[in-house]
Amino acid sequence: MANLEKYEPIVGSYVMEELYTIAENLKGKIIQNVNSTAVGGGVAEILSRMIPLLRALGIEAHWDVIKGGERFFEATKRFHNALHNETTNPLQDDFAVFLDNTDENLRDMKLYGDVLFVHDPQPVALVKVKEALKSRWAWRCHIDLSAPNERVWNFIKGFVEHYDAAVFTSPAFAQDLPLPRFIIMPSIDPLSEKNKKLSSKFVDSFLEKHELNPEKPIITQISRFDYLKDPFGALEVYRDVKRRVDCQLTLAGGGAADDPEGAKVLAEVSEKAENDRDIHILTNLSDLEINALQRASSIILQMSLKEGFGLTVTEALWKGKPVLARPVGGIPLQIKHGYSGILCHSIPGFSQWVRRLLVNKEYAKRIGINAREYVRSNFLITRHLKDYMLLFLFLLETG
Amino acid sequence: MNERKAKQPFHFYTKLNLLQYTGKKAKNLEELLKLIKEVPESSIYHHTHNFLFTSNWVIPPPASDFAYWVREVLQEKTLAEALNGIDIPGLTSIPALREEIISVIEQYLTAHEAVRRREAPPGEDFFFTEAVTFILPTRYVANNLVEFAELLEQVSVSSVYFHVFDARLRLQRAENDFSFWIRDSIGDTELADKISSVDPYFYTLEELRKWIIKTVREKIGRMG
């Protein structure tokens, strides 16, 4: 059983009380989540955190996973890519494979919830049996549908239209649908390894291990090595700033072993770093180490040219750091320019703001405090829980 | 007098929002104006009050969603200032607030025709959303001013928001719920007037909570 009490010192007793108040209204109802995988991927990670917390609130929350063979998951991978990117095309028989797999699952699965909360496209067609079940159905879309492949979207939409509600991460990711479309933004868990409070001893030992100078400002970008994350832009900003203010740059990202393009980008970035001892390129850091790096940094950059919601930004804001980012994907939802962070559109813009914040420490501190409070109010898992429960309440009250 | 039992106890409620997308978005001032005329009242209310909820603790509190977008995305600082300058406490209904916003934008466009169709950068459109609202009772009930101040420290900011902001504009009550109760059930007109006259838009919700508690406790102290 998850320990909800641990969140109280972070969000306040009244937030917890609100959660219990909403949960009271859901007593006796079964909330059945359905997705396509029990481990790996963002959806499974969210559900593995949310289900125990919902249960701790006294809600009968369940999680079932559809079955599918290799061929089905190849088809849904193509669907996923096509929904993200108009240029990807599915194979002709992917649609039939998808429908056959849905029918097999409908034969084997029990759909017993008062609310069926179905995540992403893979299980979307289970809704075919909705009328016979008399339950309430919501489709949770975790992906960016702003520019989908029309053929694939029309196929998926044919099922989504039978739901009672759809949920998107951002209005920018939503599509036209003849049903209520709710916006429920993702969240971070303040108790996770990536976000929990760390001792200064641990942070200091991290800096020592990676030969980072604690006396010199650290500018950091955390992202995988990908052209769309613009690590080269971060290098340019660093060089611009370094001419006036002595500083270090850290580029930290996941390992590149299974990602040929990542390896290429990493090699190019390393070459461009030109053995500058103040540029630190770090790969394969643990979640705790990423946490330490964020806490040790003076400024966090997120120079992505394209982004999903951008939870790495949320994590940095939560550490009370001034975050400078391009306004793409979900970033404008998190950074209110000049209040909870800085939005920039160009390299000179980034450079000027980094310099300003390194010099004007009071303003940097104010932005950092606001950033943390903005996350506390809007992007912690407790807010996510509240939104999910309100969604269930909406479905049950309007049914 | 401060322990005097109220004629009616004050029941604290809380208001919780679930964000809903209206499906409408604007990429320039002309579209923003057109959609402000069309969207439901709940969307107008949401975009002029949402920042109070989401930016609680953020200092200084940011502007309304309309003013923020006009200033930071369209870079029309004069218009943003005018939108921020709308005297919301002086308005008694959301239709009146909508008309005021429309009037401010129309006046600006008359004088600045060239910016009418100047577009937001890609991906930075204004998305009209609205809140599906849930009003839930809390377990807090005050029978006198002392209890009221104590419980006001414990309720959520959503509760403060509901009783102060929603009461006046969305539910079109003559004053906020706190001042109404103090006037009607406690019978303290002076304190009720003071709490009724506050401009809540100049405070974060936490600051507002503290100000009301302080004001009530000062009065209790004077009453001995």
Side-chain angles (χ1 to χ4, degrees):
Chain A
M1 179 73 80
N3 190 347
L4 269 168
E5 285 163 13
K6 286 185 179 170
Y7 293 92
E8 188 168 319
I10 299 168
V11 296
S13 57
Y14 56 73
V15 168
M16 303 310 294
E17 192 157 335
E18 268 178 0
L19 293 180
Y20 282 108
T21 304
I22 308 168
E24 195 60 36
N25 290 275
L26 292 166
K27 282 274 162 66
K29 300 295 182 188
I30 297 173
I31 311 298
Q32 185 180 7
N33 289 268
V34 182
N35 81 322
S36 63
T37 175
V39 286
V43 179
E45 190 182 328
I46 293 165
L47 287 173
S48 62
R49 290 187 188 280
M50 295 293 264
I51 299 292
L53 291 171
L54 286 167
R55 287 186 180 162
L57 285 163
I59 293 173
E60 207 177 318
H62 297 260
W63 174 12
D64 292 284
V65 177
I66 58 164
K67 289 179 186 152
E70 197 177 327
R71 182 66 189 84
F72 171 71
F73 286 113
E74 283 171 6
T76 58
K77 177 72 182 166
R78 276 190 286 275
F79 283 2
H80 182 274
N81 290 341
L83 290 169
H84 259 301
N85 169 3
E86 287 180 79
T87 56
T88 308
N89 274 306
L91 303 179
Q92 186 54 40
D93 63 346
D94 282 348
F95 298 95
V97 168
F98 183 89
L99 292 174
D100 288 347
N101 195 76
T102 299
D103 289 340
E104 277 176 40
N105 275 288
L106 282 171
R107 276 194 292 276
D108 298 341
M109 266 184 98
K110 282 189 178 162
L111 297 172
Y112 48 86
D114 296 293
V115 171
L116 268 293
F117 197 25
V118 177
H119 299 261
D120 276 347
Q122 300 91 337
V124 70
L126 295 175
V127 77
K128 288 198 302 187
V129 298
K130 174 176 176 252
E131 290 309 314
L133 293 173
K134 306 288 180 206
S135 40
R136 301 286 286 166
W137 290 60
W139 183 59
R140 192 354 167 175
C141 179
H142 294 269
I143 57 182
D144 177 354
L145 284 185
S146 54
N149 172 300
E150 206 169 315
R151 185 174 170 218
V152 176
W153 170 238
N154 282 335
F155 175 73
I156 298 295
K157 185 182 172 186
F159 300 105
V160 176
E161 285 173 341
H162 294 280
Y163 281 75
D164 299 301
V167 180
F168 295 94
T169 293
S170 156
F173 297 173
Q175 276 288 325
D176 276 344
L177 286 167
L179 58 149
R181 284 166 292 173
F182 294 107
I183 306 302
I184 298 184
M185 290 177 262
S187 61
I188 58 167
D189 186 341
L191 301 178
S192 69
E193 302 268 284
K194 268 189 195 170
N195 299 304
K196 71 182 186 184
K197 204 172 169 184
L198 297 177
S199 67
S200 53
K201 193 175 160 197
F202 183 87
V203 176
D204 291 346
S205 68
F206 168 82
L207 293 177
E208 197 180 333
K209 178 181 166 189
H210 292 284
E211 298 177 345
L212 281 148
N213 180 354
E215 304 303 323
K216 201 185 286 190
I218 301 170
I219 303 166
T220 293
Q221 172 156 303
I222 294 165
S223 64
R224 63 175 193 274
F225 290 92
D226 183 324
Y227 293 112
L228 286 174
K229 306 292 182 188
D230 198 15
F232 304 102
L235 278 170
E236 273 189 71
V237 170
Y238 158 75
R239 291 206 164 106
D240 249 8
V241 172
K242 180 103 171 162
R243 282 203 294 269
R244 304 277 182 86
V245 186
D246 195 15
C247 58
Q248 306 166 88
L249 174 71
T250 304
L251 297 171
D258 59 345
D259 176 7
E261 188 180 284
K264 182 169 170 275
V265 175
L266 178 57
E268 282 179 38
V269 169
S270 303
E271 193 187 325
K272 283 204 167 17
E274 294 171 341
N275 296 322
D276 183 332
R277 290 176 60 83
D278 278 333
I279 298 177
H280 303 263
I281 297 168
L282 307 177
T283 56
N284 298 318
L285 296 182
S286 68
D287 286 352
L288 271 178
E289 287 179 310
I290 293 281
N291 186 346
L293 174 57
Q294 286 170 323
R295 288 178 192 279
S297 299
S298 306
I299 303 269
I300 307 276
L301 300 176
Q302 190 69 48
M303 302 202 55
S304 307
L305 301 161
K306 194 168 173 15
E307 193 56 76
F309 184 74
L311 280 174
T312 48
V313 167
T314 327
E315 286 157 7
L317 295 169
W318 178 240
K319 313 297 186 323
K321 299 296 170 181
V323 180
L324 284 71
R326 285 195 169 96
V328 294
I331 290 173
L333 297 170
Q334 302 183 58
I335 293 183
K336 295 294 165 203
H337 179 71
Y339 296 100
S340 61
I342 302 294
L343 296 173
C344 299
H345 297 80
S346 65
I347 300 292
F350 274 101
S351 303
Q352 190 215 28
W353 271 108
V354 171
R355 278 197 347 241
R356 185 179 295 182
L357 289 165
L358 287 179
V359 172
N360 190 341
K361 291 188 171 58
E362 276 308 304
Y363 183 50
K365 191 177 166 191
R366 181 74 255 165
I367 293 261
I369 292 169
N370 280 347
R372 184 170 169 87
E373 294 310 326
Y374 201 65
V375 172
R376 194 194 306 276
S377 296
N378 301 292
F379 301 115
L380 294 186
I381 196 165
T382 41
R383 189 278 308 154
H384 206 162
L385 269 174
K386 182 194 78 177
D387 282 355
Y388 273 4
M389 290 195 294
L390 290 177
L391 170 74
F392 305 149
L393 206 53
F394 169 85
L395 290 165
L396 293 165
E397 285 185 353
T398 55
Chain B
M1 185 170 171
N2 54 16
E3 296 280 5
R4 192 174 70 199
K5 198 169 166 33
K7 279 192 278 181
Q8 296 289 330
F10 189 88
H11 290 263
F12 285 92
Y13 282 75
T14 191
K15 174 194 156 160
L16 300 164
N17 289 336
L18 183 60
L19 196 61
Q20 188 173 0
Y21 179 37
T22 63
K24 296 179 192 304
K25 60 180 178 179
K27 61 178 182 295
N28 56 39
L29 276 177
E30 186 172 63
E31 290 181 3
L32 184 77
L33 179 62
K34 176 176 173 286
L35 292 171
I36 285 173
K37 292 175 179 175
E38 287 175 12
V39 294
E41 286 180 11
S42 55
S43 185
I44 299 293
Y45 183 74
H46 176 74
H47 288 299
T48 48
H49 290 75
N50 179 44
F51 72 98
L52 293 160
F53 245 130
T54 56
S55 301
N56 185 37
W57 290 102
V58 174
I59 299 169
S64 78
D65 292 351
F66 296 131
Y68 176 82
W69 187 74
V70 164
R71 188 182 63 214
E72 300 300 342
V73 177
L74 297 183
Q75 301 289 313
E76 296 298 331
K77 293 185 178 164
T78 308
L79 175 58
E81 207 172 283
L83 286 167
N84 247 351
I86 292 175
D87 178 28
I88 303 179
L91 299 167
T92 52
S93 69
I94 299 170
L97 174 57
R98 188 203 300 263
E99 285 310 313
E100 190 63 28
I101 297 167
I102 290 168
S103 163
V104 166
I105 299 176
E106 282 179 341
Q107 277 178 35
Y108 186 78
L109 286 179
T110 304
H112 304 83
E113 186 61 32
V115 304
R116 184 177 283 272
R117 291 184 191 162
R118 185 186 295 159
E119 293 198 353
E124 295 189 69
D125 298 342
F126 188 94
F127 294 91
F128 282 86
T129 50
E130 62 187 321
V132 173
T133 296
F134 300 81
I135 311 292
L136 300 175
T138 71
R139 63 189 169 91
Y140 299 110
V141 181
N143 291 293
N144 55 46
L145 278 182
V146 173
E147 285 180 11
F148 176 80
E150 269 171 22
L151 296 179
L152 193 52
E153 277 185 328
Q154 295 173 46
V155 297
S156 68
V157 288
S158 316
S159 183
V160 177
Y161 179 88
F162 172 71
H163 289 297
V164 174
F165 292 89
D166 262 32
R168 275 205 74 248
L169 202 54
R170 205 170 68 84
L171 306 178
Q172 292 190 29
R173 291 174 188 158
E175 59 184 327
N176 70 58
D177 288 346
F178 297 149
S179 58
F180 178 77
W181 177 74
I182 291 168
R183 190 185 311 282
D184 192 60
S185 281
I186 298 289
D188 189 334
T189 307
E190 184 193 57
L191 181 60
D193 284 347
K194 191 160 186 187
I195 289 178
S196 177
S197 65
V198 65
D199 183 346
Y201 293 89
F202 286 153
Y203 296 83
T204 66
L205 290 170
E206 281 298 345
E207 288 168 347
L208 182 62
R209 178 213 301 268
K210 283 179 189 154
W211 180 84
I212 297 171
I213 292 169
K214 181 171 159 277
T215 305
V216 170
R217 289 205 165 131
E218 277 173 4
K219 186 66 193 282
I220 292 169
R222 285 209 305 276
M223 295 293 183

